[in-house]
Amino acid sequence: MRRLLLNASAVAVLIVTIFPVYWMFLTAFKPTRDIQSDTPTFWPASPTLDHFVTAVNAPGFWTYWLNSLLVTAGAVLIALLVALMAAFAVARMRWRGRGAFVVAVFAAQMAPWEALLVPVFIIARDTDLLDSLAMLTGVYFMITLPFTIVTLRGFLAAIPPELEEAAQVDGCSRLVAFRRVVFPLLAPGLMATSLFGFITAWNEFAFVNVLIIKDQDKRTLPVWLSSFRDVFGTDWGATMAAASLFALPVLLLFLFLQRHVGTGMTAGAVKG
Amino acid sequence: MRTRSPWPYLLIAPTVAGGAFLLLYPLLKATVISFQHFRMGELIRGGAAFVGLENYVELLSGEEFWQVLARTLAWTAINVVLIVGLATGIALMLPRLRRGLRLALMSALALAWATPIIAATTIFQWLFQSELGVVNWLLVTLGFDSFRGYTWFADGTATFAVLVILVVWQSVPFAALTLYAGLTTIPVELFESARIDGGTGWQVFWKVTFPMLRQLFALITSLEVIWVAKCFPQIWVLSQGGPGDATTTLPVYAFKVARVLHRYDLGSAVAMLTVVLLAIALVANLRRMVRS
């Protein structure tokens, strides 16, 4: 009886959790007449790719897709490199000011980004970086950086320094020891952190709205998707196809890296 | 042992430079603007004049700010209680499930978590659409006939409710999976001995599980408080703070004031007050971090 209750509630949670995502993909594949019928169908009877064609052929789709990918990948890669350096300094070296640096990074993790829209706009304008993907990349890099440092530090702390020392005794330089010994062990951590960074940057909506004003070709997918509704009005098939194409890269990446995510969270959260 | 080597400082140099240019300087600038007369003209020409506390006085003496503040507190409380409650339930449920069902549930949670915010917001607009939305269909099928063609986004309370459901749906997976990961670090022997001593499920949770995960619960709760209170894109895309101002929380209010009214000074003041409020929520968390 308890078993039944447990399984029933698990299935209920499963359905509620998965349904919106399922409904998005299902609607995207449904012919328009099925979308507009009074009783919804919950299984693709005669799937069609028409809506995807509409979404992909909408003005700017490929440009925005590429912009989003460039900005996100750029921000994540720079953040990983910069964070790895900082995390190494924090986890493996003793130096004056280390404690203060750690506290500053923790505080920066909670940075009030929404409060910085106007000043960041002014900085961009005064340095001629309005309507530029470089500025957007820089901002997204900074948004993801503190959290990347904290998480990578957690992973680094979990790798015994003796491994590096042993390699150094065997005649490797410190850098080589790091690359050959620590880096492979750190791979899951790097994957988990880059995934979180990717999601954050891929999602960002407020700054792109403020920093990209005139040059429509520099917009990113979140802005495009939010305006897509206004352009296509009640074409829910096309809207859901567009949303699917927007969500797909993150969903695939997430399912692919899922195993590392749980450990990533605890490394960042618990070991702090 | 402290080294006198320059290496650590070289290694953190890019982080410090990035933080100074894109975080610290904007933060100081926003603080300064909140004490200035800074509108469209000053944004273009520059040369803003200091007005002291004028923006803050205007804000705190008006009725609107207090309404927005009260709404933000309610919004945060409702969401965080639902998120932490549901996430705890799911995290406790996960280890008791058969392997297949557990993996299915975890994958579902991961998918919901990974769905980009704007995509999820668009999906919820579609789920709650008045004529063709599946939610109205379900409610009518279940016998709630008044939901036939019900327009959720015309009513303040209904829009607020939809936003709560959206944010809870998006936030529970992170909290649940993190708590579950924490749960798996507790030695099984602790649960077994508690069971042998005759503890009920409820007692085991309060006497064993919760104390072991106290830090994790504190961390998740304060993170969710900050995220929910700051939550902007969902509300902006779904309702733009409306209808009326039924879903205008502090960040939406700050954005509206700055972007729509071109009152950058007032917008910065709102943002600064939000920061102060969040800092209070954050202090407990930060203290814990510093201690460890």
Side-chain angles (χ1 to χ4, degrees):
Chain A
M1 183 58 207
R2 278 184 76 126
R3 191 87 230 158
L4 193 71
L5 201 68
L6 177 73
N7 284 332
S9 35
V11 170
V13 174
L14 179 69
I15 291 173
V16 172
T17 310
I18 202 77
F19 186 76
V21 183
Y22 174 71
W23 200 238
M24 167 181 74
F25 283 116
L26 186 67
T27 308
F29 284 108
K30 270 185 192 174
T32 307
R33 65 184 144 77
D34 286 359
I35 296 174
Q36 291 179 335
S37 74
D38 281 336
T39 40
T41 46
F42 293 89
W43 193 248
S46 46
T48 166
L49 288 174
D50 287 357
H51 302 305
F52 286 96
V53 175
T54 314
V56 168
N57 287 333
F61 173 80
W62 291 110
T63 316
Y64 303 144
W65 215 91
L66 194 65
N67 286 350
S68 265
L69 200 65
L70 279 176
V71 169
T72 305
V76 170
L77 287 179
I78 303 171
L80 272 185
L81 186 69
V82 171
L84 196 55
M85 291 162 62
F88 190 80
V90 169
R92 287 288 194 268
M93 297 168 171
R94 294 278 168 274
W95 37 283
R96 192 179 289 274
R98 178 171 162 275
F101 179 75
V102 172
V103 172
V105 172
F106 276 129
Q109 219 181 348
M110 317 285 176
W113 285 102
E114 286 69 17
L116 307 183
L117 286 168
V118 176
V120 169
F121 167 83
I122 294 173
I123 293 176
R125 188 196 56 189
D126 294 348
T127 47
D128 267 331
L129 283 170
L130 271 187
D131 292 316
S132 90
L133 293 180
M135 185 69 194
L136 222 47
T137 310
V139 173
Y140 295 178
F141 149 71
M142 200 52 221
I143 292 180
T144 51
L145 181 66
F147 149 84
T148 313
I149 296 177
V150 171
T151 317
L152 280 183
R153 185 203 147 194
F155 276 105
L156 258 177
I159 300 171
E162 289 78 20
L163 287 177
E164 282 159 271
E165 282 156 19
Q168 277 172 284
V169 170
D170 288 347
C172 293
S173 73
R174 189 152 198 184
L175 195 66
V176 174
F178 183 79
R179 212 186 63 216
R180 296 244 180 98
V181 179
V182 180
F183 201 72
L185 290 171
L186 204 57
L190 289 171
M191 282 192 264
T193 28
S194 53
L195 177 65
F196 296 132
F198 194 93
I199 293 178
T200 312
W202 191 255
N203 264 328
E204 209 289 322
F205 181 71
F207 277 94
V208 67
N209 257 310
V210 171
L211 291 177
I212 308 293
I213 6 182
K214 295 203 191 76
D215 192 349
Q216 300 292 305
D217 282 350
K218 296 288 162 56
R219 296 163 78 192
T220 58
L221 277 179
V223 185
W224 176 74
L225 187 58
S226 71
S227 62
F228 192 81
R229 276 275 294 116
D230 304 331
V231 179
F232 283 78
T234 53
D235 189 349
W236 284 103
T239 306
M240 286 302 113
S244 307
L245 291 171
F246 176 53
L248 207 57
V250 190
L251 292 181
L252 289 179
L253 205 64
F254 213 101
L255 283 181
F256 183 62
L257 295 177
Q258 212 206 113
R259 280 185 307 123
H260 306 297
V261 171
T263 37
M265 271 340 291
T266 32
V270 183
K271 287 164 196 146
Chain B
M1 63 174 187
R2 282 173 200 278
T3 57
R4 292 234 167 252
S5 133
W7 271 108
Y9 302 101
L10 288 173
L11 286 173
I12 64 163
T15 304
V16 174
F21 181 62
L22 282 170
L23 188 58
L24 205 56
Y25 174 70
L27 195 59
L28 292 175
K29 182 98 186 158
T31 317
V32 170
I33 291 175
S34 76
F35 293 108
Q36 285 177 325
H37 180 98
F38 200 106
R39 304 187 183 174
M40 195 66 165
E42 285 79 6
L43 183 71
I44 297 166
R45 286 192 312 271
F50 278 90
V51 294
L53 289 171
E54 213 171 83
N55 294 313
Y56 290 95
V57 171
E58 180 182 346
L59 207 57
L60 298 178
S61 61
E63 206 175 299
E64 198 175 7
F65 173 78
W66 297 104
Q67 285 172 353
V68 172
L69 181 63
R71 194 178 298 118
T72 310
L73 293 178
W75 161 259
T76 310
I78 294 172
N79 274 304
V80 172
V81 166
L82 285 173
I83 292 166
V84 176
L86 288 170
T88 309
I90 295 171
L92 291 173
M93 182 195 272
L94 277 167
R96 293 175 173 78
L97 297 173
R98 271 179 295 112
R99 196 181 139 78
L101 190 54
R102 183 170 70 230
L103 285 180
L105 187 50
M106 284 173 76
S107 305
L109 290 168
L111 276 179
W113 182 7
T115 305
I117 294 171
I118 306 292
T121 309
T122 318
I123 300 171
F124 272 68
Q125 284 178 309
W126 170 222
L127 291 173
F128 286 90
Q129 212 262 343
S130 61
E131 296 297 328
L132 303 164
V134 71
V135 173
N136 279 352
W137 172 84
L138 183 71
L139 287 169
V140 170
T141 310
L142 291 175
F144 300 97
D145 240 10
S146 56
F147 283 97
R148 193 178 299 279
Y150 182 74
T151 43
W152 289 83
F153 303 112
D155 178 70
T157 316
T159 309
F160 193 92
V162 173
L163 278 166
V164 168
I165 299 173
L166 167 62
V167 168
V168 169
W169 179 79
Q170 283 184 312
S171 313
V172 161
F174 161 80
L177 290 174
T178 309
L179 283 175
Y180 171 67
L183 216 53
T184 56
T185 62
I186 301 178
V188 188
E189 293 77 27
L190 279 181
F191 293 118
E192 281 168 0
S193 62
R195 280 276 151 68
I196 292 167
D197 292 347
T200 62
W202 196 244
Q203 282 171 331
V204 173
F205 176 77
W206 285 114
K207 296 274 161 60
V208 181
T209 317
F210 186 75
M212 291 291 286
L213 296 182
R214 190 186 295 275
Q215 283 208 347
L216 201 56
F217 271 105
L219 177 76
I220 286 173
T221 309
S222 45
L223 279 179
E224 293 296 350
V225 165
I226 289 164
W227 288 338
V228 170
K230 290 209 306 188
C231 150
F232 170 76
Q234 292 94 328
I235 303 179
W236 189 254
V237 171
L238 202 82
S239 70
Q240 307 222 329
D245 54 4
T247 53
T248 301
T249 56
L250 277 170
V252 180
Y253 184 58
F255 193 79
K256 264 190 189 168
V257 168
R259 203 74 211 283
V260 184
L261 303 176
H262 297 290
R263 288 293 309 273
Y264 306 106
D265 44 10
L266 203 60
S268 287
V270 177
M272 283 302 132
L273 287 175
T274 315
V275 173
V276 172
L277 286 172
L278 285 177
I280 297 171
L282 173 91
V283 163
N285 189 20
L286 204 63
R287 281 229 308 259
R288 190 189 64 81
M289 300 264 195
V290 175
R291 258 209 322 271
S292 64

